[in-house]
Amino acid sequence: MKFGIFYELQLPRPWEAGGEHRLYQNALDQVELADRLGYDYAWEVEHHFLEEYSHSPAPEVFLGAASQRTKNIRLCHGIMQLTTTHPARCAERIAALDLVSNGRVEFGTGESASITELEPFGVDYDEKRAIWEEAIQAIIPMFTKDAVEHHGKYFQMPLRNVVPKPLQKPHPPLWVACSALETIEMAGRRGLGALAFQFLSADAAHAWVHAYYNAFTKRQQKLADYVTNPNLAITSYFMCAETDEEARRRADGIPFFQFALRFYGQQANRRRPDPGTVNLWDEYEKWKRENPENHARALRGGLIGSPETLREKLRKFETSHIDSVILLNQAGRNTHEHICESLDLFAREVMPEFHANIPEQEEWKAKVLAREIELEEIDTQPFRDRYGPNSVQITPARAAE
C-alpha cells in the first residue's frame, strides 16, 4: 500500500493578516517533509470561491513550488477542474509542471461539484459530466501530436501545436475524482485511476475494489486514446499521535472538514451563501457545543489514533487490495506542528510495514488485469454512504440558516 498527503488549504475565520501566506508556506514545508519521510504522493485540489473550506484555486502554482523543494514524491492534481479551463490550458499546465518536476506529475481530473464554482465561469451544472468527457477527449492528443484541432459542443480550437509536451510519455498517469462513490465504477470503466473518499468499512472497500477492477477489465470504454491507469486510492481523515486520546485532541479540524461538507452538501447543487454572509467556523463551534457526542464520534473515525490503532485499521483495509491511502490532516485549525509530528510518527511507526507489501499488491493487480484472477461481482448498493453514522450529522434546517 502506498501513502499520500492531501490538501484543500483550509483557512477558517477569523482571518488574520498574513494568514494565507502562512497557510501556503506551512503546507509547502509539510510536502517537503513528506518527501524526506518517503511518502509517495502529494495531492492538491482546485476549488474556487469556497471561503474557509478551500483557498486553493491554482494547484499548478502550489505543485510547481513543491517541485523545487522535493525530489521523489509524486505531485498530483487532485483535481484539475476540466470544466472551468480550456483543454489547451490544461494540457499546457500539466506538461510544464511535468518538465519542472522531472516527470513526477499525476493528472487528476474532475468536474467540480458546486454551482458556486461553475456559475462564474459560465458552466451549466447539469452539463458538467459531458464537459469533462469532452475535455478529456480534447486534451489527450495535445500531449503527443504536433498538430491538433478540436471542434466539439463545449470547446473549439483551430489547428495548433500545444507546447510544451510532458516529460512522461505519452502523458502523465490519469485519474478522476470520485466524490460520489458510484463514480468509482465509472472510473474503472473509463480506465482511469479512481481518487475516492474514505470507505467506512473493510467490507465497503472490498466491494468497491471489486466493482472498480471488474469495470476496468470487463466493461472498459475509454474516452480517448490514452494509457490506462489501474489504481484505486482512498482519501481518509488522519492524525497520528502517541495515544488515541492525544490524536483526537489534535484533530479538531477533522470534524470541521466534515461539518463543512455536510453544511454545504445539503444545498441545491451545493450552492454557497453570498460572500461574507456565513462564518463557517462559528457555525461549526455552535454545532459542536450542541452536539458533543456526535463530535466525539466523528473523531473516532478515519485514521485518527496511535500508531498501533492505525496499523490495525490499515491491516483490515489492506486485505481489500486498495492501492493507496491519501491522508488528510490539513483541516480546520489543526496546527502545523501537529501535522508535521503526525507525518513523522506515521512514517516511522506505520508506513514501513505497508510499503513492504507493495510488490505483493502489484503481483495481485497484474493477475487481475490479466484475468488470471476473476473477482466476484459484488452489489455495491449497501456501501454507497460516504459519511456513515459516526460522521458529523447536521439537519437541513441548520444548513439552510
Side-chain angles (χ1 to χ4, degrees):
M1 188 182 293
K2 296 182 179 180
F3 294 95
I5 54 177
F6 187 88
Y7 287 90
E8 297 271 3
L9 295 181
Q10 294 203 328
L11 190 65
R13 286 184 171 88
W15 295 333
E16 300 174 352
E20 287 179 325
H21 179 245
R22 285 191 298 274
L23 172 68
Y24 270 71
Q25 295 304 318
N26 285 345
L28 287 170
D29 286 346
Q30 292 156 23
V31 174
E32 185 176 354
L33 173 63
D35 180 57
R36 293 199 304 270
L37 293 171
Y39 286 85
D40 303 284
Y41 300 104
W43 292 88
E44 174 76 4
V45 305
E46 177 183 347
H47 280 308
H48 302 276
F49 320 118
L50 304 187
E51 298 178 323
E52 300 185 74
Y53 179 75
S54 176
H55 289 228
S56 178
E60 70 279 358
V61 175
F62 180 89
L63 294 173
S67 75
Q68 302 307 292
R69 298 175 58 164
T70 57
K71 295 180 179 179
N72 299 306
I73 197 166
R74 302 287 295 179
L75 302 171
C76 315
H77 279 268
I79 48 75
M80 179 181 282
Q81 289 183 6
L82 304 192
T83 47
T84 57
T85 307
H86 190 279
R89 295 294 290 126
C90 294
E92 291 167 343
R93 293 172 183 178
I94 291 297
L97 180 59
D98 205 43
L99 292 171
V100 301
S101 68
N102 294 312
R104 289 188 281 138
V105 173
E106 303 276 326
F107 184 18
T109 71
E111 308 165 5
S112 173
S114 167
I115 195 171
T116 296
E117 298 184 77
L118 295 172
E119 192 175 55
F121 296 102
V123 177
D124 188 329
Y125 183 89
D126 294 329
E127 295 188 73
K128 62 190 183 75
R129 173 59 56 83
I131 297 171
W132 170 79
E133 291 180 348
E134 185 180 318
I136 292 286
Q137 293 164 349
I139 289 169
I140 297 304
M142 297 175 183
F143 287 137
T144 59
K145 296 183 179 180
D146 292 338
V148 177
E149 61 182 322
H150 181 84
H151 303 287
K153 179 178 179 180
Y154 302 105
F155 301 107
Q156 299 291 326
M157 194 179 82
L159 191 66
R160 293 291 187 274
N161 185 6
V162 179
V163 292
K165 304 300 184 191
L167 183 62
Q168 297 178 87
K169 303 300 182 187
H171 53 73
L174 304 174
W175 299 74
V176 62
C178 302
S179 55
L181 291 178
E182 53 266 30
T183 315
I184 294 171
E185 185 278 334
M186 183 277 289
R189 186 162 37 87
R190 296 308 192 190
L192 305 172
L195 180 61
F197 207 68
Q198 72 175 28
F199 300 130
L200 302 176
S201 67
D203 288 341
H206 180 76
W208 282 111
V209 168
H210 278 54
Y212 174 79
Y213 280 106
N214 279 329
F216 197 103
T217 58
K218 301 175 184 178
R219 297 178 284 276
Q220 191 172 118
Q221 297 175 311
K222 296 200 298 184
L223 289 167
D225 184 20
Y226 46 75
V227 176
T228 59
N229 180 31
N231 268 293
L232 178 55
I234 62 164
T235 302
S236 180
Y237 305 125
F238 171 64
M239 184 64 77
C240 186
E242 293 293 347
T243 66
D244 291 348
E245 293 74 17
E246 180 62 15
R248 291 167 189 158
R249 188 185 71 80
R250 295 180 173 198
D252 189 57
I254 298 302
F256 171 79
F257 187 98
Q258 296 181 38
F259 178 85
L261 284 175
R262 301 305 292 267
F263 188 89
Y264 290 133
Q266 298 186 51
Q267 308 303 313
N269 297 338
R270 295 188 180 181
R271 179 185 290 277
R272 268 57 169 180
D274 289 338
T277 59
V278 171
N279 184 315
L280 194 57
W281 184 264
D282 281 354
E283 292 291 332
Y284 168 64
E285 287 289 317
K286 186 188 306 180
W287 170 86
K288 189 166 63 172
R289 289 192 299 271
E290 295 171 355
N291 300 273
E293 293 182 2
N294 190 187
H295 178 260
R297 285 199 306 271
L299 288 168
R300 290 195 289 269
L303 294 171
I304 299 173
S306 68
E308 182 56 37
T309 294
L310 300 193
R311 280 194 295 269
E312 291 177 2
K313 289 187 176 184
L314 286 168
R315 284 167 186 158
K316 295 177 182 177
F317 281 100
E318 189 176 43
T319 63
S320 305
H321 292 286
I322 293 165
D323 292 294
S324 59
V325 175
I326 314 302
L327 306 169
L328 188 160
N329 69 341
Q330 192 284 309
R333 292 185 181 171
N334 290 355
T335 70
H336 174 59
E337 178 185 12
H338 290 162
I339 291 169
C340 291
E341 290 177 358
S342 177
L343 292 172
D344 179 71
L345 183 60
F346 183 88
R348 287 188 286 108
E349 300 292 335
V350 182
M351 198 160 65
E353 173 184 332
F354 300 94
H355 265 178
N357 296 335
I358 290 174
E360 183 179 340
Q361 166 67 10
E362 292 300 318
E363 181 181 357
W364 174 87
K365 185 193 299 189
K367 290 180 179 179
V368 169
L369 295 175
R371 304 291 295 274
E372 296 176 22
I373 295 177
E374 289 289 333
L375 299 181
E376 177 187 1
E377 297 279 357
I378 300 175
D379 181 13
T380 58
Q381 193 60 44
F383 306 110
R384 299 202 169 203
D385 180 5
R386 64 178 289 192
Y387 298 110
N390 290 333
S391 69
V392 167
Q393 307 290 325
I394 63 174
T395 63
R398 161 56 64 83
E401 287 176 359

